[in-house]
């Protein structure tokens, strides 16, 4: 066993948790590839992860942690399969496939993680189910952790995951034949996970770091497997460039700090450099996709030495291209902000009016409207817009920020 004291002891439990999350999709992929039975294999892997979390801090990390997990999970899986109708045949198959050495296993196939992502993002699953199953099977998060992140009861999340596993039962493991067509669904799921982690839609905290960090880790794994896929690189760059501002987004009491007021010295320069390099290379290799364009916009913000020095003309030009590819209301709302920064607040408000019937019931349109009205000097209307936005959001930091903006404008 490898000692967890000394150099590795400084990380302690956190280091073991990181190790388990890194190995979880590889172990699950190895079991599903050998035995099938995705749902039963996933449960067996979770049991093995729990066993490791209990034993490794006391006994030390095995020399081959992945082999240890496969061995334990294989035993759990074969125990579960013994109770099924084809017990004898399955036992014989499991015995033939079980690794001979207790702590060794064949090298992981590099596409196991990607195959699991494709399985978890099966088109028959809803986006909510795809996210939950991805976090559980690929991210290695427990049901309780996912439930806490999305502020739902653990029993509710367990039902979602169970239904999702039931729907993919019997689906062939491996990269699907039409994997290129399914890749956008994988990227969209990772994007949704990151967005919920970076700006939580509800609850007392502005961010949920474990979700944002998990989305970055998984996207980085996909990029390593598909290094020439421009949109994968674009999504990873977007996450890095956005997450680089995380430390400056909140004040000492957890209050929201808008982009133009953030202390840019607190931004993560290493993440910015990596993100800029990724998107620059991706854009040079072919036509730009939506994630690459969003990353390019984030790069313009991050490379500006101050809010006043931001090149809004370049940002508006990038949004013009983006809305032609993705003419959705969110993209057009962001473009309206860029129009306001280039041509003035009234021009932005005019763009906003054109979107009135498309923006839905969220809080962001009113928040943007309040900001533009404030810049235009229409303080009474701006106050009303801020108060309306505050009433629509379930995020407590956003509520406090919007109400503070409204109060600042007077009665």
């Amino acid at each position: 066993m490898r000692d967890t004291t000394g150099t590795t002891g400084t990380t302690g439990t956190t280091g073991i948790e990181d190790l388990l999350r890194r190995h979880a999709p590889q172990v699950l992929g190895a079991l599903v590839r050998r035995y099938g039975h995705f749902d039963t294999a996933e449960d067996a892997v979770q049991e093995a992860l729990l066993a490791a979390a209990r034993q490794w801090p006391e006994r030390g990390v095995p020399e081959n942690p992945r082999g240890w997990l496969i061995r334990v999970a294989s035993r759990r899986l074969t125990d579960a399969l013994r109770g099924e109708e084809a017990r004898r045949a399955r036992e014989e198959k499991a015995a033939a496939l079980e690794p001979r050495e207790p702590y060794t296993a064949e090298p992981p196939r590099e596409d196991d993680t990607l195959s699991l992502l494709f399985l978890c993002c099966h088109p028959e699953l809803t986006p909510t189910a795809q996210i939950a199953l991805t976090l559980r099977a690929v991210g290695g998060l427990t049901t309780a952790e996912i439930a806490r992140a999305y502020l739902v009861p653990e029993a509710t999340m367990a039902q979602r995951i169970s239904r999702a596993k039931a729907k993919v039962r019997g689906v062939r493991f491996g990269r699907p034949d039409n994997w290129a067509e399914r890749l956008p669904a994988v990227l969209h799921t990772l994007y949704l996970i990151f967005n919920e982690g970076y700006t939580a839609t509800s609850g007392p905290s502005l961010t949920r770091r474990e979700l944002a960090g998990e989305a970055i880790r998984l996207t980085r794994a996909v990029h390593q497997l598909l290094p020439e896929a421009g949109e994968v690189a674009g999504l990873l760059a977007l996450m890095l460039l956005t997450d680089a501002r995380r430390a400056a987004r909140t004040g000492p009491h957890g209050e929201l700090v808008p982009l133009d007021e953030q202390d840019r010295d607190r931004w993560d320069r290493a993440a910015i450099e990596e993100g800029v390099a990724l998107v620059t290379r991706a854009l040079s290799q072919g036509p730009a996709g939506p994630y690459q364009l969003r990353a390019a916009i984030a790069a313009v913000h991050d490379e500006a030495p101050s809010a006043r020095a931001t090149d809004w003309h370049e940002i508006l030009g990038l949004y013009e291209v983006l809305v032609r590819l993705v003419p959705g209301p969110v993209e057009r709302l962001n473009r309206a902000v860029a129009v306001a920064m280039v041509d003035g607040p009234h021009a932005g408000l005019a763009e906003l009016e054109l979107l009135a019937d498309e923006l839905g019931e969220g809080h962001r349109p009113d928040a943007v409207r309040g900001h533009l009205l404030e810049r235009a000097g229409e303080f009474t209307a701006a106050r009303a817009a801020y108060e309306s936005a505050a009433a629509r959001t379930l995020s407590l930091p956003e509520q406090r920020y919007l109400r503070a903006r409204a109060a600042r404008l007077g009665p």
Side-chain angles (χ1 to χ4, degrees):
M1 303 288 277
R2 185 168 63 239
D3 189 6
T4 56
T5 60
T7 303
T8 57
T10 59
T11 59
T13 303
T14 301
I16 291 176
E17 289 175 353
D18 292 341
L19 185 65
L20 293 176
R21 284 189 178 172
R22 186 167 70 250
H23 285 299
Q26 299 173 1
V27 175
L28 179 57
L31 261 67
V32 175
R33 184 161 25 85
R34 285 182 181 142
Y35 308 122
H37 305 284
F38 172 83
D39 51 346
T40 311
E42 199 271 336
D43 290 339
V45 171
Q46 290 298 318
E47 291 184 29
L49 294 173
L50 290 173
R54 287 193 300 266
Q55 296 178 29
W56 292 2
E58 296 180 1
R59 304 180 185 177
V61 178
E63 289 296 330
N64 184 347
R66 178 177 166 274
W68 189 98
L69 290 167
I70 288 178
R71 177 174 177 248
V72 172
S74 296
R75 286 178 173 175
R76 299 290 196 277
L77 179 59
T78 53
D79 286 344
L81 292 179
R82 285 192 180 99
E84 297 185 10
E85 186 177 354
R87 175 180 58 84
R88 195 178 303 275
R90 286 177 177 150
E91 281 185 349
E92 292 174 354
K93 181 180 179 182
L97 292 170
E98 187 170 355
R100 292 181 180 276
E101 296 298 328
Y103 293 89
T104 61
E106 64 182 90
R109 296 190 182 184
E110 66 170 10
D111 61 352
D112 274 354
T113 297
L114 191 58
S115 295
L116 280 175
L117 277 168
F118 280 121
L119 185 62
C120 294
C121 297
H122 195 277
E124 291 187 8
L125 298 177
T126 66
T128 301
Q130 290 174 344
I131 290 172
L133 195 57
T134 297
L135 289 174
R136 172 71 184 261
V138 190
L141 275 66
T142 66
T143 303
E145 288 174 324
I146 303 169
R148 282 198 300 270
Y150 281 91
L151 301 179
V152 299
E154 184 177 349
T156 300
M157 185 56 69
Q159 289 176 349
R160 291 179 185 174
I161 293 172
S162 294
R163 287 195 294 266
K165 289 195 291 186
K167 281 197 172 182
V168 299
R169 184 180 295 130
V171 175
R172 181 180 64 85
F173 181 75
R175 193 181 301 187
D177 295 335
N178 59 339
W179 70 269
E181 298 173 11
R182 296 254 299 268
L183 183 60
V186 171
L187 299 184
H188 183 62
T189 297
L190 296 174
Y191 185 46
L192 291 176
I193 294 171
F194 176 80
N195 285 343
E196 181 61 27
Y198 189 72
T199 304
T201 54
S202 60
S205 300
L206 180 66
T207 63
R208 294 177 183 146
R209 295 186 179 184
E210 73 280 8
L211 285 182
E214 192 60 27
I216 292 173
R217 185 183 74 83
L218 293 176
T219 305
R220 191 183 294 280
V222 177
H223 174 61
Q224 291 172 348
L225 296 172
L226 301 173
E228 301 305 317
E231 278 291 77
V232 177
L235 179 58
L236 178 57
L238 174 61
M239 290 180 179
L240 291 170
L241 291 164
T242 304
D243 193 62
R245 312 173 200 141
R246 173 164 41 87
R249 292 183 71 221
T250 53
H253 304 294
E255 67 272 20
L256 187 154
V257 180
L259 179 62
D260 59 350
E261 298 176 18
Q262 290 176 13
D263 178 2
R264 299 186 177 218
D265 289 338
R266 300 183 65 195
W267 288 2
D268 186 340
R269 290 295 156 188
I272 292 172
E273 290 177 5
E274 183 183 1
V276 169
L278 279 167
V279 70
T280 300
R281 180 174 182 271
L283 288 171
S284 69
Q285 292 180 321
Y291 292 119
Q292 293 159 267
L293 290 168
R294 294 183 182 109
I297 292 167
V300 176
H301 281 296
D302 285 12
E303 291 187 304
S306 66
R308 293 177 64 86
T310 302
D311 189 344
W312 282 101
H313 286 86
E314 182 177 358
I315 290 174
L316 178 57
L318 289 167
Y319 270 121
E320 296 288 2
V321 180
L322 178 60
V323 297
R324 286 199 292 270
L325 292 177
V326 187
V330 173
E331 289 73 22
R332 293 171 66 194
L333 177 64
N334 291 334
R335 177 186 170 278
V337 174
V339 169
M341 298 303 294
V342 172
D343 298 326
H346 288 103
L349 287 166
E351 293 290 332
L352 207 56
E353 287 304 312
L354 298 176
L355 298 173
D357 295 333
E358 303 178 39
L359 291 174
E361 299 297 322
H363 75 285
R364 192 151 180 264
D366 279 337
V368 170
R369 186 175 290 105
H371 173 66
L372 298 184
L373 287 167
E374 182 180 356
R375 287 190 60 216
E378 300 180 29
F379 300 130
T380 301
R383 178 185 174 92
Y386 282 136
E387 290 175 340
S388 175
R392 291 173 183 268
T393 181
L394 298 176
S395 167
L396 297 183
E398 289 185 332
Q399 285 179 8
R400 289 192 289 266
Y401 169 76
L402 292 165
R403 285 171 180 153
R405 300 286 295 202
R408 189 176 66 177
L409 298 178

